[in-house]
Amino acid sequence: MEEAWQQGKRGMMQMEVSRERLIEDLIDEYEMQVTKLAYLYVKDWSAAQDITQEVFIKAFHALQQFNQHSSYKTWIYRIAINQCKDYKRSAYFRRNTVVHTFHKILNKSTTVTPEEELITNEANDSVTSHILDLPIKYREIILLYYYEELTTQEIGDMLGINASTVRTRLDRGREKLKKTMGGRLSNE
């Protein structure tokens, strides 16, 4: 009886080691992508890094619930998107947004050199900044489609919407991008 218990204990320890190895592999493969995705939602690098840590902690605890109907990438992204949405709904985020805006207004009164102004204007004129200014429902679709190269079906599965809705949001997002960029966005 003692031997059977020891075997069961060894088996559980091996399963735990394999879970740890799997999560380490997932972190190695997707950490930077998840951090970038989180940044695109919250627009704060340190918050994005915190969210990324939470994503992989949640993934580790939910590994046994992964049902193999999707890839690990879409599963991790789904966790990341949900975590970002939770963060944006939190009182902490709303309070920090108000404080950040207040500081931005106060710091605007300081003098800026022409070089700094030119760099800021060029940065604000980039495609990325225009994408970041889109409403979240268009931003997430465009980023997942173009930057993460996911299919419309994968994006739909990840966000819990139809692939046709993804295509519609992609088209509308492109149109909004064209308008904000003054028609400078070339067609694919």
Side-chain angles (χ1 to χ4, degrees):
M1 170 130 338
E2 181 68 27
E3 187 177 315
W5 184 79
Q6 288 294 333
Q7 270 187 334
K9 187 176 176 184
R10 277 193 296 270
M12 287 176 51
M13 287 174 47
Q14 287 175 344
M15 282 179 33
E16 190 66 28
V17 169
S18 65
R19 280 181 51 200
E20 288 175 9
R21 176 152 296 147
L22 176 60
I23 202 69
E24 287 173 5
D25 291 344
L26 291 173
I27 290 170
D28 289 343
E29 190 165 346
Y30 299 117
E31 179 182 23
M32 187 51 68
Q33 293 170 318
V34 169
T35 306
K36 288 177 183 177
L37 179 66
Y39 175 77
L40 296 171
Y41 271 85
V42 299
K43 298 180 185 179
D44 178 5
W45 191 254
S46 62
Q49 290 173 323
D50 291 343
I51 289 170
T52 301
Q53 285 181 339
E54 288 296 319
V55 165
F56 287 107
I57 290 169
K58 284 186 177 189
F60 178 75
H61 291 297
L63 266 175
Q64 67 275 9
Q65 297 169 353
F66 180 67
N67 58 19
Q68 305 288 332
H69 286 106
S70 63
S71 67
Y72 281 116
K73 181 178 182 176
T74 56
W75 181 64
I76 293 288
Y77 275 32
R78 179 73 251 156
I79 295 170
I81 289 169
N82 286 337
Q83 191 68 26
C84 289
K85 288 179 178 180
D86 289 347
Y87 176 79
K88 287 188 80 166
R89 282 191 295 261
S90 72
Y92 174 80
F93 175 77
R94 290 191 304 266
R95 182 175 52 251
N96 279 351
T97 303
V98 170
V99 169
H100 178 67
T101 304
F102 182 70
H103 285 294
K104 205 174 182 181
I105 291 168
L106 287 179
N107 291 335
K108 232 178 196 171
S109 63
T110 61
T111 58
V112 177
T113 66
E115 293 85 9
E116 291 173 330
E117 189 173 337
L118 178 64
I119 291 170
T120 302
N121 288 342
E122 284 181 7
N124 289 339
D125 205 30
S126 72
V127 174
T128 305
S129 69
H130 288 284
I131 291 171
L132 290 174
D133 289 338
L134 288 173
I136 191 71
K137 71 180 184 178
Y138 301 121
R139 182 184 342 146
E140 68 187 354
I141 300 286
I142 286 175
L143 293 170
L144 292 171
Y145 186 78
Y146 288 108
Y147 291 95
E148 298 301 329
E149 299 178 352
L150 297 174
T151 66
T152 55
Q153 186 61 50
E154 289 173 324
I155 295 169
D157 291 344
M158 192 181 305
L159 299 176
I161 56 178
N162 291 327
S164 60
T165 304
V166 172
R167 288 188 291 276
T168 301
R169 288 183 183 178
L170 192 57
D171 289 341
R172 289 179 182 165
R174 285 187 203 128
E175 286 302 313
K176 287 185 175 293
L177 215 52
K178 283 181 189 177
K179 286 179 186 174
T180 61
M181 294 183 68
R184 292 180 289 139
L185 186 66
S186 62
N187 286 338
E188 279 80 30

